[in-house]
Amino acid sequence: MTEYKPLQHLPEPAGYKAGDVLVLVGELFGRGYANGLIDEARRIGMTVIGTTVGRRDSDGSLRPLNTEECADAEALLGGTIINIPLEAGFDMESVDGVPSIAEQLKKARPDDFATINFIEGSVENARAAGTARFRSNLALLQSELLQRIPADSNILIAHSMAGGIPRARVFMPLLNRIFKGTGDKYLASGVFWDSPLGQLCNASFNEVTADTFRYLIEGTAALRERNSGSETRVCYSAYGYHGTGVLVNGEYRWQSYTPYVQGFAKMRLEDIAFEASANGIPATVYNCPEIQTNSSALFLGVEISLYPLLSAIRREAGAEIAAPLEARCQGLLKEGETVADLLERADCYLASPILDQIEDFSTWPQHNTRTQAELMLASSAQLMEMHADQKQLVCAELSKIVFLATGRLMLHYSWNPTAATVWLNHDIIGRLLADQRGAGIV
Ligand SMILES: NC(=O)c1ccc[n+]([C@@H]2O[C@H](COP(=O)([O-])OP(=O)(O)OC[C@H]3O[C@@H](n4cnc5c(N)ncnc54)[C@H](O)[C@@H]3O)[C@@H](O)[C@H]2O)c1
C-alpha cells in the first residue's frame, strides 16, 4: 500500500530552460489542473506541445480535430497540438461485428443496474481493442515527438487523463443518485460498485485513468533511448487523488471526498509510477487537492475541503498575502455573510464525527452512507447559498490558486523526483505562496 507522503519542502528550481519541452498528454480545458503546469512551463521559457483526445463523428468513429477545432484548441493551449486522437477507453469498440458496450447498453434501464449482462467476452475483447487503438496512436505521437523535439532538449511528459464513464444514457441517473442523491434518491455507491455496471466502470476507469500512464511510459521508450547517455532528461508526471491534508479544527488532517470510486484506478496509477521509478524512470504521481473543474463537477461536495485553503494560506503565507484574497472572497458573498462563517461551516462538516467514522487512509476509498451523503450535500448547498452569485464562487478563486501552485510544485519536483507518489497538501501550497517561487499566483 502507498505510504502517505506529503511534500514537506519546496522543490529546488528545476534545470529546465528555454528549448526544453512540456508535452501534455490529455486535452486542456479552461479550468483544468493542467493549466498550472502549462503556465509554469511557459513562465520559465519551455515550449509546450499539446495533444487531443479527438472527436467522435455522429456514426461513432473517432477522428482528429478539424481545422477549426484544432485552431481553438491551440489558442487555448498557447502552443501546437499534435492532432492524433488519443481517446482512451473501450466503450465504443465493436469487435468482429459484436455490438459495442455503449450499443449493448442503449436500451438498459437504470432500475436494472444490478442484473444487466453483457455478451460473453465482449467487455474483454472491447478492452483489448481499445488498448490496441490507444497504443498505436501513441506510437504515431512518439514519431511526431521524435521529429519535433531536438535531441538535446529536456522533456517533461505530463499525463492528465482521467475518466471513463461509458457513454450510455443509463449511467447518468445512477451516478446522479450516487453522487448527489438524498432521501429516496440516495443510492449506496458500494451496491452500485459491486454490480455488473459498477464493475464495468471499474474496468473503464482503470483503463482511462491508470493504464494510459503505463502505455504512455512504454510508448515513449524511444524518446528516452534517444536521450540516454546524454545529460538530458525525460521525466513523467501524472495527476493523482488520494485524499488531501487540510486544516480541520486548526490542525492539518488527511481527509477525502467520499465516495471517490475512481480511487481504485488512482491507486493503480500510483502503482504504475512505483514500477517505473523502480526501473529508473523518473515518474511521479502528484496527489492533488479537491478543486472545481469540468471533471469534478459531478462530485457535488468535493469542494467543501477547498474552503480551508484560506486558513492555510493565512497560516503559512501570512496576513499580507491572505488579506487581499480574503477580501476578494468576501466580495463574492451575500450581504451579511462572512468568510469567517464560511470557514466555520466548512470546518463543521470536515470535523464531523460522521466523517471520522468513515474516512480511513489504509482502506481508502470508502463508499458512501446515507447519513454521510446527506450531511455532505446539505453542507455543500449551505456553503453555496452564502454566495451572492452562484456563478462566481469562492471555490473558483481557490481552484485557480491550487492549479497554479501545484503546476509549479510539480514541474520543479519532476526534475529530480525522490518519490513516485507525493501529496500536495494545503500547507505546501500556502508555503509556496509565502516564497518568491510562488510570486504572482495570488
Ligand atoms: N478536480 C479535482 O478535484 C482533482 C483532484 C485531484 C486530481 N485530479 C486529477 O487531475 C487531472 C485533470 O483533471 P481536471 O480535474 O483538471 O479535469 P479536466 O476535465 O480539465 O481534465 C480531465 C482530462 O482527462 C482527459 N480525458 C477524459 N476522458 C478521457 C478519455 N476517455 N481518454 C483520454 N483522456 C480523457 C481529458 O482530455 C482531460 O485532459 C485528472 O487526472 C484528475 O483526476 C483532479
Side-chain angles (χ1 to χ4, degrees), residues 25-29 31-34 53 86-89 134 159-164 167 208-209 212 239-241 260 266 286-296 302:
V25 181
E27 203 160 320
L28 185 72
F29 295 124
R31 51 186 189 157
Y33 251 118
V53 288
L86 285 183
E87 183 187 293
F134 186 82
H159 176 276
S160 75
M161 294 178 164
R167 280 159 288 192
V208 175
T209 301
T212 47
Y239 287 94
Y241 178 71
Y260 191 68
K266 286 296 191 192
Y286 297 86
N287 287 327
C288 289
E290 304 78 359
I291 63 168
Q292 284 181 323
T293 65
N294 291 1
S295 291
S296 64
V302 72

Side-chain angles (χ1 to χ4, degrees), residues 2-77:
T2 313
E3 198 189 328
Y4 179 49
K5 270 195 195 152
L7 187 66
Q8 305 278 9
H9 304 288
L10 297 179
E12 290 302 313
Y16 299 116
K17 55 183 184 330
D20 290 341
V21 181
L22 169 73
V23 182
L24 176 65
V25 181
E27 203 160 320
L28 185 72
F29 295 124
R31 51 186 189 157
Y33 251 118
N35 287 286
L37 266 179
I38 289 168
D39 190 83
E40 181 60 1
R42 202 168 296 124
R43 202 176 68 95
I44 63 172
M46 292 174 81
T47 303
V48 176
I49 295 180
T51 58
T52 176
V53 288
R55 298 291 178 269
R56 291 275 173 185
D57 273 332
S58 48
D59 67 356
S61 56
L62 182 64
R63 61 160 175 84
L65 302 177
N66 64 30
T67 314
E68 199 187 330
E69 290 161 346
C70 195
D72 288 349
E74 291 191 333
L76 181 67
L77 181 79

Side-chain angles (χ1 to χ4, degrees), residues 419-434:
T421 302
V422 290
W423 273 254
L424 305 180
N425 290 335
H426 283 187
D427 55 354
I428 195 75
I429 292 174
R431 262 179 262 151
L432 176 67
L433 302 183

Side-chain angles (χ1 to χ4, degrees), residues 254-307:
W254 178 89
Q255 56 73 52
S256 166
Y257 167 79
T258 299
Y260 191 68
V261 284
Q262 283 79 348
F264 300 100
K266 286 296 191 192
M267 288 197 292
R268 191 170 163 116
L269 180 71
E270 293 173 351
D271 291 343
I272 293 165
F274 270 111
E275 207 182 298
S277 301
N279 290 326
I281 301 167
T284 304
V285 168
Y286 297 86
N287 287 327
C288 289
E290 304 78 359
I291 63 168
Q292 284 181 323
T293 65
N294 291 1
S295 291
S296 64
L298 181 64
F299 311 121
L300 201 58
V302 72
E303 77 292 346
I304 305 177
S305 58
L306 186 52
Y307 295 103

